[in-house]
Amino acid sequence: MPINTMFLIDPEIVNSVVKFEQTLLNGLTGAVNNNLLKASSTADRTLQNTVAMISQDLVSIDQPKHSDDEKPLDFSVIIDVDDDATYIKNTPLDDSQILNLISPKHLTSPHKVEDVKSSITVSDSLTLDGWVAALRNSDEVGTLDSRKNEFKGTYNLIGQFYQLISSLDDEPDEGTLVTFNENGVLCINTEKPTGLLPEAIKHFEQMIKETYGIELGERILNRYFRDNSKHSNLKELTYKDIKKAFIGASANVKISDLKKLFNNIHDDFKGLLPLRCGELLSTSMIDSIKQTTQFEDLTSEQLNILRRAFTVLPNKEGKCRKTLKVFFEGKTVKQDPVHFDHYIHDVLLLKELNDIKLIDTNDVKLYLSQHIGKKLVYKELQKGMVIPLINEDKEPCQYHVYEHLEYKGDAVIANLITPINNGNRYTTSSDEADIFLTFRGTGSSPSVKAAGASIERDVDDSGVGKTDFHKRAQEILNMVESYLIEANGPITLNLSGHSLAACDTQRALLLISKKITDSQPDCIWRKVKHIVAHTHNSPRLEDKAATEFVKVITKLDTMVSSKDLELDIDLTHVRIFDKNSEDLVQTLWYKLLGANIRESSIFKKRVVKLQFNEELGLLGKHSAKGFMTSSLPYTKTIITDKTENDLLQKVLCERYYWCDDKNMSNIDKMLQNIKWYGSYLHTTPVTILQAVLYRTGVFGGILKKLPRAFSKTRSNNELVKLGWLDGKM
């Protein structure tokens, strides 16, 4: 087995390493192996690291080989019971798994798997527990490496974890101190309960990097275990820290990590610092990956295999399950409303990602709009992060965060989520690619990023979220354009958002529709053939936005009918009610996008009303989710422009309140119509009162500094004309 580095390899050295002569390598390697070089200084450690890299990159260690008619011993691998598993159970362990995954004693280099096999008595049906027990009871497995104050050799944190929990009767408490014994093996810390040896920190950090790669390892360490100066903040190593490492790997895996593992598999894990988490994959899984030579050609199933290496663990019973289930099945976790905890955030993110399987509707796009726009987007998604979704057939497909809007503290937060490759599209029946542009709504607690700024956007007196959205409009267009430039075929652009973000979704729909309207035939925006927008619990927009959208749709209709453009637009507004009333947020402001558009060849609109059977309260209605097997009981009503256009227009305009008019008298119906058509009059007294308070400077003029969430554009304009309201307000 190749010599490994004692410390983290500096990536900058890698490019120069391969230029070293083989003669230099031979001499230095012998010196290191015979402990002639000690890590007593920075220069010596760098030299050791260099030797280690040369060894891994240039020296070929003979691996045990089998002839075509000879099969390895039938060691049973960890039983795979994970929900995503689609591969054969009890696949035989290959040699690398035997040596690197579950070996409780780290052997000196070089050594061969035959030495291990011949030193113990095994049977064809030996279980994993039996294999580990046999190794533990063997005194002839190999010569133990001396590592009292040093760390060298390849380690796999997954194997170390399994050894630890399988040696204990019960899972340790999170506060249980752990350390590494003189042989570098993870164990319970019984000798030094009040402190942590510096060597243990090195062991832990190096093991994370060797298991999951330097890039992901650094993300995990910086996220949980380092301060702003990138110095370790660990004072003691606990079982919770071990859990954090695994949760961090599961929640923060990116497309770059999958690509590196893909290359490692094709190199048979012989390259420079291969990702040891890949050794958890069964032989059949690895063979499946090797069947495809280009990452871009991987199927969703193959990409899921790669992601599994980062997201599954063996539990105490030797069953391979998702990391989240190993640690948190049946447990409730909540984020502190004031102090943000990355670890808790990542646990909750994993739960949200797993919820993709809870779909309980045939309208997959509607479900995805809620899953992405009302759930995932409220987590801190990172560029490159892998996002498992489902396609139109409800089968898994792998997406990733292609780009996100630069964070500027203004609470305009947007992510563009796209397929990882061409084999992972939502639409399986055509070559059209679906991409998802989603916005984040109001931060629900002080610990949420830009929570205060989002509340300011809520009460923007020019329209909910309008001012800051328009400031970032060009950046939003640029973000989508960066993908369109690389896109080879037609695109379906999906927009979604909840609450404040539902207003952003409507504004983005208007913005992008105008962009396409003004585009030339060879413009990249002509690649967009379909726009599908969903809003959830949306406040209404100002009248100007709704009126402008009518003009844009009219122009698009003309362009499509003259065959100058190929485009269609679908808009769905999801409205939430409990058994007593509508979500209050939905009643604010003036009109929903799509109002006053009665006929169009390219534009379809609908309202989906979810009325839950019980009383949910103010916040409960605003956060309630349907279309899931875990949803509370509700009744769904759909109104489209093809069935009940008049009723649909009433719902989209003003403050129309849903009511069943079947049992209403003619007088009641007349009063409801008067209430609808004259709804703006309801706000007039409020606006007049505001004008008086502004003009008289009551309360020291404080009201001038407070945006008016309940003001209506049309009422304000009329008051300005009447001279009751200052036009500069």
Side-chain angles (χ1 to χ4, degrees):
M1 180 174 289
I3 303 170
N4 202 326
T5 176
M6 173 179 172
F7 299 97
L8 171 64
I9 294 176
D10 185 352
E12 295 181 359
I13 304 177
V14 175
N15 292 331
S16 61
V17 166
V18 294
K19 299 178 181 179
F20 279 36
E21 295 292 333
Q22 186 67 44
T23 52
L24 175 62
L25 169 66
N26 292 338
L28 293 178
T29 301
V32 172
N33 284 342
N34 292 287
N35 289 325
L36 298 179
L37 291 178
K38 302 294 183 181
S40 57
S41 68
T42 301
D44 290 339
R45 287 198 296 271
T46 302
L47 184 57
Q48 270 193 322
N49 291 344
T50 303
V51 174
M53 286 189 294
I54 299 173
S55 302
Q56 287 196 325
D57 201 37
L58 299 180
V59 178
S60 176
I61 302 297
D62 292 334
Q63 298 295 326
K65 300 182 182 299
H66 300 277
S67 62
D68 293 337
D69 57 351
E70 181 185 2
K71 297 181 180 179
L73 293 176
D74 185 18
F75 299 109
S76 295
V77 75
I78 298 170
I79 300 174
D80 197 337
V81 297
D82 184 65
D83 295 340
D84 291 335
T86 56
Y87 289 84
I88 300 173
K89 314 276 193 237
N90 300 325
T91 305
L93 283 172
D94 57 26
D95 294 343
S96 64
Q97 289 173 310
I98 294 172
L99 287 176
N100 297 320
L101 175 61
I102 60 173
S103 174
K105 297 179 180 180
H106 205 70
L107 309 179
T108 54
S109 177
H111 58 278
K112 296 182 178 180
V113 71
E114 284 90 341
D115 299 333
V116 179
K117 291 179 179 178
S118 63
S119 65
I120 60 176
T121 302
V122 298
S123 65
D124 289 344
S125 60
L126 186 64
T127 64
L128 182 64
D129 288 336
W131 171 252
V132 173
L135 284 173
R136 284 182 179 148
N137 295 329
S138 173
D139 295 328
E140 301 176 0
V141 174
T143 304
L144 289 176
D145 197 4
S146 175
R147 53 177 97 247
K148 291 183 180 180
N149 299 311
E150 292 184 349
F151 172 75
K152 59 183 177 179
T154 300
Y155 265 145
N156 189 329
L157 187 59
I158 300 172
Q160 292 273 329
F161 167 76
Y162 179 75
Q163 293 176 62
L164 175 65
I165 61 173
S166 61
S167 67
L168 303 173
D169 294 332
D170 299 306
E171 183 183 10
D173 295 331
E174 285 193 339
T176 301
L177 297 178
V178 297
T179 188
F180 297 88
N181 63 21
E182 61 181 7
N183 297 320
V185 177
L186 183 67
C187 61
I188 301 298
N189 186 355
T190 57
E191 298 180 358
K192 297 182 179 295
T194 59
L196 173 68
L197 294 176
E199 291 81 359
I201 298 178
K202 297 176 184 178
H203 280 44
F204 182 56
E205 292 185 348
Q206 178 71 11
M207 200 173 295
I208 291 175
K209 295 170 186 174
E210 291 199 23
T211 303
Y212 294 113
I214 293 178
E215 291 181 7
L216 179 53
E218 283 292 315
R219 292 200 297 273
I220 294 170
L221 293 171
N222 290 334
R223 192 165 179 82
Y224 300 144
F225 305 115
R226 290 174 178 167
D227 56 27
N228 293 334
S229 301
K230 301 298 179 67
H231 297 134
S232 175
N233 57 19
L234 283 171
K235 303 301 180 183
E236 56 185 14
L237 190 63
T238 67
Y239 183 68
K240 181 178 180 179
D241 296 321
I242 305 299
K243 291 171 62 174
K244 282 184 174 182
F246 291 127
I247 290 294
S250 298
N252 295 281
V253 59
K254 295 185 176 182
I255 186 173
S256 58
D257 303 313
L258 300 189
K259 288 181 177 179
K260 183 171 184 180
L261 179 56
F262 173 80
N263 293 329
N264 289 165
I265 289 175
H266 279 272
D267 293 338
D268 294 322
F269 295 97
K270 294 179 182 178
L272 181 64
L273 286 183
L275 278 64
R276 295 301 173 187
C277 60
E279 293 162 358
L280 187 63
L281 300 177
S282 66
T283 303
S284 60
M285 293 180 178
I286 291 177
D287 289 343
S288 173
I289 299 299
K290 287 185 175 181
Q291 290 175 5
T292 305
T293 58
Q294 299 295 324
F295 184 85
E296 284 300 316
D297 296 329
L298 289 173
T299 65
S300 177
E301 192 174 58
Q302 290 172 316
L303 285 169
N304 190 48
I305 290 174
L306 295 177
R307 185 171 177 269
R308 287 176 53 77
F310 301 90
T311 60
V312 299
L313 284 178
N315 63 8
K316 182 176 174 62
E317 290 75 30
K319 297 179 180 179
C320 192
R321 307 194 70 191
K322 285 189 175 179
T323 301
L324 182 68
K325 293 185 177 181
V326 171
F327 293 132
F328 291 98
E329 189 167 32
K331 299 179 182 179
T332 301
V333 178
K334 293 183 178 180
Q335 182 69 265
D336 188 285
V338 178
H339 303 289
F340 184 82
D341 188 321
H342 286 99
Y343 172 55
I344 298 300
H345 168 276
D346 289 351
V347 171
L348 295 175
L349 171 60
L350 287 175
K351 179 185 181 302
E352 301 286 13
L353 292 173
N354 288 341
D355 283 351
I356 188 64
K357 303 171 184 177
L358 300 180
I359 181 172
D360 189 27
T361 176
N362 291 325
D363 192 337
V364 180
K365 281 286 183 74
L366 179 59
Y367 175 72
L368 286 177
S369 73
Q370 175 183 270
H371 179 72
I372 299 173
K374 199 172 180 178
K375 296 177 66 178
L376 290 185
V377 74
Y378 281 96
K379 299 299 182 288
E380 295 186 0
L381 305 181
Q382 306 169 39
K383 183 177 179 179
M385 180 179 287
V386 177
I387 306 291
L389 297 178
I390 54 177
N391 62 24
E392 61 182 352
D393 298 323
K394 301 182 182 179
E395 296 295 330
C397 59
Q398 306 297 324
Y399 274 63
H400 75 299
V401 180
Y402 179 85
E403 189 59 89
H404 59 78
L405 202 61
E406 180 184 357
Y407 179 71
K408 294 184 177 180
D410 56 5
V412 183
I413 298 175
N415 294 277
L416 183 63
I417 300 175
T418 67
I420 285 183
N421 60 22
N422 292 332
N424 281 266
R425 291 174 171 172
Y426 170 83
T427 305
T428 58
S429 56
S430 72
D431 61 350
E432 194 160 318
D434 278 77
I435 63 176
F436 297 84
L437 176 60
T438 186
F439 298 87
R440 198 207 75 179
T442 306
S444 58
S445 64
S447 64
V448 175
K449 180 182 290 186
S454 67
I455 295 175
E456 291 183 15
R457 294 192 65 212
D458 285 336
V459 294
D460 185 341
D461 62 346
S462 65
V464 178
K466 178 181 177 181
T467 302
D468 289 310
F469 181 90
H470 284 183
K471 289 179 180 179
R472 307 295 298 276
Q474 187 57 51
E475 295 174 63
I476 294 170
L477 291 174
N478 293 344
M479 182 168 61
V480 180
E481 286 177 355
S482 65
Y483 180 83
L484 294 178
I485 291 173
E486 300 179 357
N488 296 323
I491 300 297
T492 294
L493 176 58
N494 298 272
L495 309 173
S496 64
H498 164 250
S499 189
L500 166 65
C503 290
D504 287 343
T505 298
Q506 294 175 80
R507 298 188 193 283
L509 175 57
L510 174 58
L511 175 70
I512 292 170
S513 298
K514 289 174 61 179
K515 184 70 175 180
I516 296 175
T517 301
D518 298 335
S519 66
Q520 298 299 315
D522 59 347
C523 177
I524 58 173
W525 282 98
R526 294 296 181 97
K527 294 181 181 180
V528 178
K529 305 301 182 183
H530 304 278
I531 302 177
V532 181
H534 291 83
T535 73
H536 296 264
N537 303 78
S538 179
R540 302 169 189 276
L541 300 185
E542 66 280 4
D543 179 62
K544 181 179 179 180
T547 302
E548 188 174 6
F549 188 65
V550 173
K551 297 178 181 178
V552 171
I553 293 298
T554 301
K555 186 173 181 179
L556 288 174
D557 266 318
T558 302
M559 295 173 68
V560 171
S561 62
S562 63
K563 301 188 183 305
D564 183 43
L565 176 69
E566 180 185 346
L567 179 69
D568 61 64
I569 301 174
D570 293 317
L571 174 60
T572 299
H573 296 290
V574 181
R575 317 297 280 172
I576 302 295
F577 297 71
D578 65 9
K579 70 175 185 178
N580 295 324
S581 60
E582 181 179 5
D583 175 19
L584 177 63
V585 173
Q586 298 172 174
T587 68
L588 303 181
W589 278 85
Y590 194 54
K591 290 181 181 179
L592 294 171
L593 221 60
N596 299 331
I597 302 177
R598 289 186 172 271
E599 294 184 4
S600 171
S601 61
I602 68 151
F603 177 64
K604 297 178 182 178
K605 58 187 177 297
R606 64 174 178 167
V607 169
V608 177
K609 174 189 176 184
L610 301 186
Q611 182 151 22
F612 287 83
N613 298 350
E614 58 186 73
E615 186 174 352
L616 301 180
L618 180 62
L619 296 179
K621 285 196 289 287
H622 197 56
S623 60
K625 302 173 184 68
F627 322 118
M628 303 167 61
T629 56
S630 59
S631 298
L632 296 172
Y634 65 88
T635 301
K636 181 172 68 174
T637 304
I638 300 178
I639 300 179
T640 71
D641 49 10
K642 299 298 183 182
T643 58
E644 301 176 86
N645 208 344
D646 288 340
L647 177 57
L648 180 60
Q649 287 301 322
K650 289 184 179 182
V651 174
L652 296 176
C653 295
E654 308 284 353
R655 286 191 174 193
Y656 174 76
Y657 292 90
W658 296 65
C659 60
D660 184 2
D661 61 1
K662 293 181 181 179
N663 299 318
M664 292 173 60
S665 67
N666 289 331
I667 295 179
D668 287 334
K669 291 180 181 179
M670 181 180 66
L671 291 175
Q672 286 293 332
N673 286 331
I674 292 174
K675 180 179 180 180
W676 172 55
Y677 287 110
S679 61
Y680 74 95
L681 295 175
H682 289 230
T683 64
T684 301
V686 176
T687 312
I688 293 175
L689 177 60
Q690 288 176 336
V692 172
L693 295 177
Y694 273 82
R695 297 294 289 270
T696 58
V698 176
F699 306 120
I702 288 179
L703 289 180
K704 283 188 176 181
K705 302 178 182 179
L706 297 178
R708 304 181 304 284
F710 296 95
S711 64
K712 299 292 183 288
T713 303
R714 183 167 65 182
S715 299
N716 285 353
N717 291 338
E718 292 182 1
L719 288 176
V720 170
K721 292 178 182 178
L722 292 172
W724 294 348
L725 188 61
D726 186 355
K728 297 180 181 180
M729 282 182 54

